[in-house]
Amino acid sequence: MTGADRAVVVTGLGVTSAFGRGEEALGRGLAASRAAFGPVGRFATDRYRTGVAAVLPGAPDLDEELRRVVDEACEQAGLSPAERAQAPLLLGRHTDPAVARRPLAVQGKSAISDTAAELARACGLLGAARTYTNACVAASTAVSEAAVRIRTGRQDRVVVSAGYLVDEDNFALFSAGRALSPDGVLRSFSSGRKGLLLGDGVGAVVLESARAAAARGARPLAVLSGWGLAGDAHHVCRPHPEGLGMARAIGAALDRAGLTPADIGYVNAHGTGTPANDSSESAALRLALGDAVDGIPVSSTKSLHGHSLEASGMLELAVTLLVLRSGELPVNAGHLGPDDDCRLDLVLGSPRRVSPRHVLSLNAAFGGANTALVVSAP
């Protein structure tokens, strides 16, 4: 089998964000350049640093939303029941905070992996291969492992899903940590940025080997041409100020893709809007991409759809797929002015039409974990 046969392609996508259910809703929201933030009605917020998040109306159920996006991705990929039954599931999600409030005997029978197994059964998949709860790189780590399984021939096809819906436990946690933006605006890479805002995000992709996709006549949406993971080894919750871990992840992803920095046409950054994260990520981009960084457009779409924690890598992978299709780079919303610690070519005001061939999607997490995905046009 040739290297081209083992190339990893994306053949199906399902997504839900605060803009609505389905990729069309996400695409319309990005194109409109209006942030989806508004008052949270799911729980009282008067005790917290802000009362704002990017949420779907009503009280959506995460398990139901996960089932919907997995089915949506499998249907778009055109998988038959038999092909679904051969595909394992990798899942990224937050550990259910309600479990910790149950009796100890019940907690022991409530492993988070059981929810992935039930989701796999409900969607007719092979089974739950693994569940990732490693914070904001959970989804992108799962995508990277799926790619390894396919590239090495362990599997021809893997379904990856991730989900987070804004809940009071995490809202309280991030508020207590003074991470939520008190002015109700997420201003990634901007002067005057004050923190992040949470947002709903649920998504799924079908990844396949190019040979397996071609054998059944599937048309790839994109190629996952490179991925990289690296740790900061610096601090339990602060990113390395020079972005060393993130820079290594970017370098590994580019090497695996066989690309140079000049080949990258857009960066969908992690960009949480916190002072430390944005300056660290800017330093990482400058270190990894060198002088080419000045000509590469960058935006953090968290400024539009919020930070969906364990699902952020999946929601932002969906954004990169839409960018490759539309050729329009979404804006970096909430910008007040330049910051010397974030000297990047930010997409501001309105979407920029560029039609990139290769895009870079970045995520970082507590503990110093970093991921980089290179997604290419098919």
Side-chain angles (χ1 to χ4, degrees):
M1 188 180 298
T2 67
D5 289 335
R6 293 249 62 96
V8 181
V9 297
V10 185
T11 55
L13 167 67
V15 65
T16 290
S17 69
F19 291 120
R21 294 178 176 86
E23 58 186 271
E24 290 186 6
L26 177 59
R28 286 195 300 271
L30 298 174
S33 305
R34 288 193 298 271
F37 302 111
V40 177
R42 293 177 189 168
F43 47 85
T45 58
D46 52 305
R47 295 180 294 167
Y48 304 130
R49 189 170 168 86
T50 182
V52 169
V55 294
L56 290 159
D61 179 86
L62 180 57
D63 292 327
E64 291 179 5
E65 296 293 338
L66 285 166
R67 279 195 292 271
R68 193 194 62 76
V69 296
V70 170
D71 282 339
E72 189 174 281
C74 291
E75 288 169 8
Q76 185 179 63
L79 298 185
S80 67
E83 289 161 345
R84 283 194 185 205
Q86 296 172 350
L89 171 71
L90 298 181
L91 178 66
R93 66 175 298 171
H94 197 77
T95 303
D96 186 354
V99 172
R101 291 191 284 269
R102 296 171 184 163
L104 190 59
V106 176
Q107 290 185 41
K109 299 175 181 176
S110 304
I112 192 69
S113 58
D114 288 350
T115 62
E118 180 57 36
L119 177 63
R121 282 192 292 271
C123 296
L125 302 175
L126 176 64
R130 187 165 292 172
T131 302
Y132 297 80
T133 60
N134 50 330
C136 312
V137 296
S140 46
T141 304
V143 168
S144 299
E145 180 177 327
V148 170
R149 286 170 177 246
I150 293 167
R151 180 72 68 86
T152 58
R154 185 174 171 186
Q155 248 105 31
D156 277 334
R157 185 175 300 112
V158 180
V159 175
V160 185
S161 186
Y164 169 73
L165 299 177
V166 176
D167 64 293
E168 187 168 9
D169 293 87
N170 282 293
F171 204 89
L173 178 68
F174 279 85
S175 180
R178 304 184 67 78
L180 298 181
S181 175
D183 65 358
V185 183
L186 201 163
R187 308 181 190 278
S188 307
F189 305 111
S190 168
S191 63
R193 60 189 183 279
K194 297 181 183 298
L196 61 86
L197 293 171
L198 298 176
D200 291 343
V202 188
V205 290
V206 176
L207 302 180
E208 300 184 72
S209 71
R211 186 183 71 162
R216 60 185 191 83
R219 182 179 179 183
L221 306 175
V223 180
L224 183 63
S225 50
W227 55 90
L229 296 80
D232 281 346
H234 172 67
H235 191 276
V236 67
C237 60
R238 296 176 189 161
H240 194 289
E242 298 173 18
L244 299 185
M246 177 69 82
R248 283 195 294 270
I250 295 170
L254 289 174
D255 287 345
R256 186 166 276 116
L259 298 174
T260 69
D263 294 316
I264 299 299
Y266 168 64
V267 176
N268 186 273
H270 188 60
T272 59
T274 58
N277 179 86
D278 288 4
S279 60
S280 171
E281 189 170 10
S282 300
L285 284 166
R286 192 156 291 279
L287 181 62
L289 303 180
D291 292 340
V293 73
D294 293 323
I296 301 176
V298 177
S299 64
S300 167
T301 47
K302 286 185 179 70
S303 63
L304 294 168
H305 52 60
H307 191 346
S308 53
L309 302 183
E310 282 82 358
S312 59
M314 181 59 67
L315 180 54
E316 290 153 27
L317 175 58
V319 171
T320 64
L321 296 176
L322 297 182
V323 164
L324 288 172
R325 182 189 305 169
S326 69
E328 288 193 349
L329 312 185
V331 302
N332 195 76
H335 192 74
L336 289 176
D339 185 308
D340 286 342
D341 291 335
C342 305
R343 291 181 294 113
L344 300 169
D345 178 15
L346 298 173
V347 181
L348 301 174
S350 59
R352 190 185 304 182
R353 179 162 283 281
V354 174
S355 298
R357 180 74 185 161
H358 308 280
V359 302
L360 190 59
S361 179
L362 304 178
N363 289 106
F366 286 145
N370 304 275
T371 60
L373 303 177
V374 177
V375 189
S376 304

